[in-house]
Amino acid sequence: MPSMRITHVRTVCAVAVMALSAVAQAQTPPVDPPLDAIQRAVVESINASLELPGGRTPPALLDAAIKANDVGVPGAAERYLAMLAEAVDAAGAEGLDTLADLADANDEASVVRLEQSMLARQPAAAALARRIIEAGRMRRRDATVLAEDIAALASPVSSTRLAAAERLVRAGVDALPALVGVLGKGPGDDPRQFQLVRGIVARLGNEARQPLLDWLATGDPADWVGVIEALDASGADDIDVFLLAPALVPQTPPAAKELAQKVLRSRVEARGGEATDALPSIREATTRLVGRLDRLLTPDGLPPIDHLLLEPIKDPAQAKAAFGGGITGTVDRYFWNPETRVLEAVSVPPQVARAREAMQFARYLQALDVRDEATVDLVLLANLEAALATGGDPITVLDRVPAAAIREVLAGPDGFSVETAGRVFEQAVERGMWLAARAVATG
């Protein structure tokens, strides 16, 4: 594996070393309950191996911590992590490379288990495990490393191709921009590399769905062929409706339109249907898109939260609430950044995730030039929800968004009208979208 460019990540390395030092300096000795015979044998074997000449290498110490943790001896795991912290700290500028090497050599799930076990005992030790995971991911998403692995897929040596493919699979979503780049060019002169990339995306499966759909919604149309090819290769669930507009909108680049139509046909055939039924009329596609947007803009359209959060108390009356405040949450998403051309992992409120997806359907309906009153109202509500959801703190967002901006968002194909705004207001109230309703009323 190529060495990471330390100069590029010097700041991250400094932060990592601070966390490592905290582990090494932890003063509270770990206390474990009495060990059973198996636990004692494992710990004694580990200790003996570490006492051998050259036994306390970073790989050996991490392996020792993982083994001790897996047999239920977290105190011993913490001691080994403290030794590992000292070893990595002593590596100086090479410390981040050492962490990344450890991540490459170990199953991420085992390091995650170690992190979770350490959280309650010693947060600094948990931070070390987290730094290992992050260093590995940083290396795998490095553009130079990804490019080298993509090139290795064209190697005549099968073992080289296999190793590169495994590294790209481990990179997961971070590898998608490089993989899409290959798929966008088509089989060309190297159909084997093309098929290998499709196989890698297939192994990602549904994990690739949301990032690719966000890229399709916000990225350059020049990327659509590669993105659609990746969506097809992933075999992800429920992507047909997202391909309707690319398959039907006249302005879609010809190659992307042809591919979207081909994918729709192949997915219908895979379900036992007739390929001739795969491409609906504009009217039928509009009905499906409107139905999807209609369901999204309801309480049931909000995605379930991935992380619970405690909302700070802003009103003394909330002091009696459980845990001292209201409970909110976030969802994990990947958003495509067109400027940096990377998929950025973010944790956002459910309303933001819903608004992002709703905007995709709203854009599709606008691209299809749908002008019936009910659909226009729904599109305007989606646009308003997106403007508010991404505007910052919902408690103060209306103080920052001027009335003129709200009226601009509420302008339909024929411009702003009070009648249209009134209908959008009624839709917002019926759907429990109270912030949107307030925005219409004050705008």
Side-chain angles (χ1 to χ4, degrees), residues 49-289:
S49 66
L50 293 178
E51 291 303 320
L52 294 174
R56 294 192 179 186
T57 63
L61 289 168
L62 178 59
D63 182 65
I66 290 173
K67 287 180 177 177
N69 186 64
D70 285 347
V71 296
V73 194
E78 185 181 335
R79 289 195 297 274
Y80 303 141
L81 284 174
M83 297 177 194
L84 174 60
E86 293 176 351
V88 177
D89 198 10
E94 300 300 321
L96 191 57
D97 262 337
T98 301
L99 293 176
D101 290 340
L102 292 174
D104 288 342
N106 288 274
D107 175 50
E108 186 171 302
S110 63
V111 185
V112 170
R113 289 195 303 271
L114 185 60
E115 177 196 17
Q116 295 300 316
S117 178
M118 293 297 106
L119 280 173
R121 296 180 58 91
Q122 178 52 260
L128 171 55
R130 174 50 47 182
R131 293 299 179 190
I132 292 171
I133 296 169
E134 290 174 352
R137 290 177 177 175
M138 186 183 302
R139 170 182 282 174
R140 291 192 290 271
R141 74 168 66 99
D142 182 271
T144 301
V145 174
L146 289 172
E148 290 173 352
D149 284 337
I150 289 293
L153 294 178
S155 170
V157 181
S158 61
S159 60
T160 300
R161 296 195 303 271
L162 179 60
E166 288 300 323
R167 288 193 295 269
L168 289 165
V169 169
R170 290 194 68 185
V173 170
D174 290 325
L176 281 174
L179 299 171
V180 166
V182 174
L183 296 177
K185 298 174 184 176
D189 297 328
D190 197 341
R192 181 172 60 187
Q193 183 193 45
F194 183 83
Q195 290 302 322
L196 279 172
V197 169
R198 278 187 59 93
I200 292 167
V201 177
R203 288 180 64 178
L204 295 179
N206 271 323
E207 183 184 356
R209 176 187 178 277
Q210 184 273 318
L212 288 171
L213 289 177
D214 192 82
W215 189 348
L216 185 66
T218 59
D220 189 333
D223 296 330
W224 285 0
V225 168
V227 174
I228 294 171
E229 190 77 56
L231 282 167
D232 180 44
S234 73
D237 299 331
D238 186 34
I239 64 169
D240 299 49
V241 68
F242 294 90
L243 298 180
L244 292 176
L248 298 171
V249 171
Q251 294 79 16
T252 302
K257 178 184 290 188
E258 181 181 350
L259 180 59
Q261 294 176 358
K262 175 185 174 183
V263 172
L264 285 172
R265 292 190 187 99
S266 67
R267 290 177 70 87
V268 168
E269 289 178 331
R271 294 192 294 267
E274 295 291 335
T276 53
D277 300 330
L279 202 60
S281 66
I282 296 290
R283 183 174 181 178
E284 292 169 334
T286 298
T287 300
R288 290 174 62 182
L289 291 168

